[in-house]
Amino acid sequence: MLNEYHCWLQRRTVKNPALQAPVLQTVYAHSGGEVASQAAEEFRRGIERLLGFSPAMYPLSAGTGESVGVYLGTIATLEKQLPRAAGKLCAGGFVIKTAGKNLLIAGQDEAGLLYGVFRFLSLLAQGKAEDNIDLQEEPASPLRIINHWDNLDGTVERGYAGPSLFYRNGHFDYDPQRIEDYARLLASVGINRISINNVNVRAEAKLLITEAYLTDAAALAAIFRRFGIRVFLSINFGAPWSLGKLPTADPLDPAVTTWWKERAALIYRYIPDLAGFLVKADSEGEPGPFQYGRTHADGANMLAQAVKPHGGEIIWRCFVYNCQQDWRDHSFDRARAAYDHFMPLDGAFDDNVILQIKFGPYDFQVREPVSPLFGALRKTRHIMELQITQEYTGHQIDLCYLPWLWEDIMRFDTAYGPDSRIKDLIGQHSEGRFPIEGFAAVANTGLDRNWTGHTLAQANLYGYGRIIWNPALSAAEIAREWSVLSFGFGPAAHTAENLLLKSYPAYEKYNAPFGVCFMVTPGLHYGPNIEGYEYSRWGTYHRADAQAIGIDRRPAGTGYSDQYAAKNAALFADPASCPENLLLFFHRLRYDYIMKNGETLLQNIYDTHFEGYDEAAAMLEQWKGLKNVLETDVYQSVLSRFERQLANAREWRDQINTYFFRKTGIGDKRGRMIYE
Ligand code: GCU
């Protein structure tokens, strides 16, 4: 039976495992550092959870190779047992192999061992642990990061799953067992970094880097460390001024430089393996180098030098744009901002600065083009930022399976030469080589018992880990894995998988088809408000009038399309070749524009909104089919979300259709109900 708390690590008896119990009853485990010990413990727990017995645990030295059992170690410590040299894998890589009567799980390093253990347990739970395994895996992305937007008062910015896991009333306040369980979930899908506080560092969060908070921060970091996860702290660029009482936070001021060096030294005394700082600067009101007439490279490098002696890195966000825009001014285009700010700085950053670039040029919309910085940056370390929390994608009330989008992102061809799809560009940074080093994503978790509010939204957390580990995985494969791991074999898993795969297209249809973006309620970002952002300062307009809608981003318009490699620039600049799901992002089109299906744009707007609603209704009905299959509480909690989703979809459908009907005076050609 499903226990929502355990997510994809359910307690469940796996019947007839191909690997027979004798080999699994005895474990010889490398007792290296704490991650290796945790790996052994995870193996023991996992076998107990899936097969119902606890294997006997011995040190690796007790296993001769003759003694039948499971051997857990690093590739180096299992050299003798590994029949042929495994070769050097990337950090986090592992081998799972049956050798004679034994099973070997060998990590390139201790974290690799931990991931190997979790992969083996996952295969076992999915009924895929053959009696003759020979598997070798490496993570595609070296950096696999979760960003928490948790505030110290216990709220979570854009959080839809209850209060913060870490804080309450201005202080660290957490259940260590819960954090351990969280770290386990994250490590089980390969996460190796976590930032623990909101990128908007306000109120008490500014004090996180003071001694009053660092003991508690270190205790939290210690839990994650056992699972191979290193902690980042988000910092406020203005701290030398606001905290240190210096007259300035100018990154080129020697007093400021010294202040940060001393501050870093202090922090590293408490958390010696701190991954570094995450910085949102000059963005949406946060302080930054622009205030002092300095560049983002000046700001980031100054911090980088402060953490460098301690092995730290600076993750610097590229979400920098003018949020004081005048809607009257059509010449300024927010979509251009990240590229305009950061492309000229390519090569200007220190080697321990990593730029964190949102996947699209706007802000986590249901459909945006992939940012033109990817593929273009040649001399700067960088990662991609995704959002697991469903800010614009339904607040974890509406079901919206995000790997559907992420698969598209991974397959987007940046068109900078051969093998230039996003998934081809991911890799390890080395001298002169600057691939996409990985991903960061805003967490969708909180204190709700099921972690994610909507139980099926657990698939988004799972899917994030899986797809950044292996970007060749499809959304469908991930949905299947998750459904089986969560619901076992049977109708519930089948329904869940099916619903996940239907959910994204349905949401996109009733929310913002054709890349139109931002018709959402300002601030809240749930439910429709079609002109909510039209006359605001945020720079996200669709400019619908009686004849046309969308922004002209061709060279003749704002020129955004020209930020792409030539092939893509041409592709996007022509409405005939522009992918239709991005048509209104790149083009301003008349409502009578004929789309590929032969219908007008207006008719397509009506059709998608009617269809999106109908699909949401069908999802609700499909879920009802599990009434007598699932535990009542799980069934009911998801049911009530599908019901709320349907009400939301109805508002989107009717408000949008009515809006365009009123603008154009043209009705639906199929005669469906559009309210006046
Ligand atoms: C969005 C979001 C904010 C967040 C910001 C960011 O604008 O609405 O809550 O702070 O992104 O990514 O920094």
Side-chain angles (χ1 to χ4, degrees), residues 149 157-158 198-200 202 280 283-284 286 317 319 321 334 358 362-364 385 387 391-392 442 518 523 525 533 538:
W149 283 0
E157 179 150 341
R158 311 304 176 187
N198 191 356
V199 286
N200 297 310
R202 298 179 188 149
K280 172 175 177 175
S283 170
E284 301 185 330
E286 294 303 293
R317 294 178 85 227
F319 187 56
Y321 68 98
R334 169 169 161 183
K358 284 194 182 181
Y362 258 174
D363 189 13
F364 302 135
E385 180 172 327
Q387 196 182 41
E391 176 178 0
Y392 296 99
V442 187
F518 281 98
H525 298 168
Y533 277 104
W538 296 98

Side-chain angles (χ1 to χ4, degrees), residues 240-480:
W241 170 80
S242 60
L243 202 63
K245 306 289 173 235
L246 295 184
T248 177
D250 179 351
L252 299 191
D253 185 304
V256 170
T257 314
T258 305
W259 190 87
W260 276 116
K261 284 195 170 136
E262 288 173 1
R263 187 57 45 172
L266 172 76
I267 299 166
Y268 275 89
R269 274 209 294 285
Y270 285 87
I271 313 175
D273 64 341
L274 185 81
F277 298 151
L278 170 62
V279 194
K280 172 175 177 175
D282 289 319
S283 170
E284 301 185 330
E286 294 303 293
F290 283 166
Q291 276 174 275
Y292 307 98
R294 310 299 184 194
T295 69
H296 278 238
D298 292 332
N301 292 346
M302 179 274 294
L303 289 170
Q305 282 147 29
V307 297
K308 186 156 177 119
H310 313 284
E313 292 179 321
I314 298 300
I315 298 197
W316 190 268
R317 294 178 85 227
C318 294
F319 187 56
V320 178
Y321 68 98
N322 173 9
C323 65
Q324 299 294 341
Q325 225 165 293
D326 183 349
W327 59 269
R328 298 167 190 84
D329 177 3
H330 287 214
S331 67
F332 196 87
D333 180 8
R334 169 169 161 183
R336 297 185 54 109
Y339 187 98
D340 281 347
H341 282 302
F342 287 92
M343 203 54 216
L345 295 176
D346 192 17
F349 292 94
D350 282 6
D351 66 0
N352 60 332
V353 174
I354 299 167
L355 298 185
Q356 179 165 312
I357 307 162
K358 284 194 182 181
F359 82 82
Y362 258 174
D363 189 13
F364 302 135
Q365 297 299 287
V366 68
R367 187 68 61 176
E368 294 182 47
V370 169
S371 167
L373 280 169
F374 295 106
L377 285 175
R378 286 303 152 97
K379 296 177 280 189
T380 305
R381 299 180 61 188
H382 59 287
I383 58 176
M384 182 183 282
E385 180 172 327
L386 302 171
Q387 196 182 41
I388 317 176
T389 195
Q390 290 177 236
E391 176 178 0
Y392 296 99
T393 50
H395 284 204
Q396 283 138 247
I397 298 166
D398 299 24
L399 183 64
C400 194
Y401 175 59
L402 300 168
W404 186 272
L405 169 70
W406 300 335
E407 176 184 327
D408 276 2
I409 294 172
M410 294 297 185
R411 293 175 187 189
F412 173 70
D413 191 349
T414 63
Y416 284 98
D419 295 331
S420 58
R421 289 167 304 180
I422 293 295
K423 65 186 178 125
D424 307 320
L425 298 179
I426 303 168
Q428 177 80 47
H429 158 65
S430 58
E431 192 70 35
R433 204 174 156 263
F434 295 91
I436 301 169
E437 280 183 66
F439 295 80
V442 187
N444 64 346
T445 44
L447 270 184
D448 279 1
R449 193 184 134 72
N450 68 357
W451 304 92
T452 53
H454 197 314
T455 298
L456 302 188
Q458 293 174 356
N460 289 333
L461 183 60
Y462 178 84
Y464 169 67
R466 294 294 289 135
I467 203 163
I468 67 171
W469 178 281
N470 179 4
L473 283 174
S474 69
E477 285 169 304
I478 296 169
R480 165 146 312 166

Side-chain angles (χ1 to χ4, degrees), residues 487-515:
F487 291 97
F489 298 94
H494 187 71
T495 301
E497 177 190 343
N498 197 266
L499 287 169
L500 290 178
L501 296 179
K502 286 177 178 163
S503 63
Y504 205 94
Y507 187 84
E508 184 170 5
K509 281 183 193 168
Y510 64 73
N511 181 279
F514 313 122

Side-chain angles (χ1 to χ4, degrees), residues 15-25 51 53 101 129-131:
K15 291 197 192 81
N16 301 323
L19 271 164
Q20 286 308 306
V23 65
L24 300 174
Q25 259 158 6
L51 298 178
F53 64 85
K101 293 205 165 78
E130 309 292 333
D131 57 4

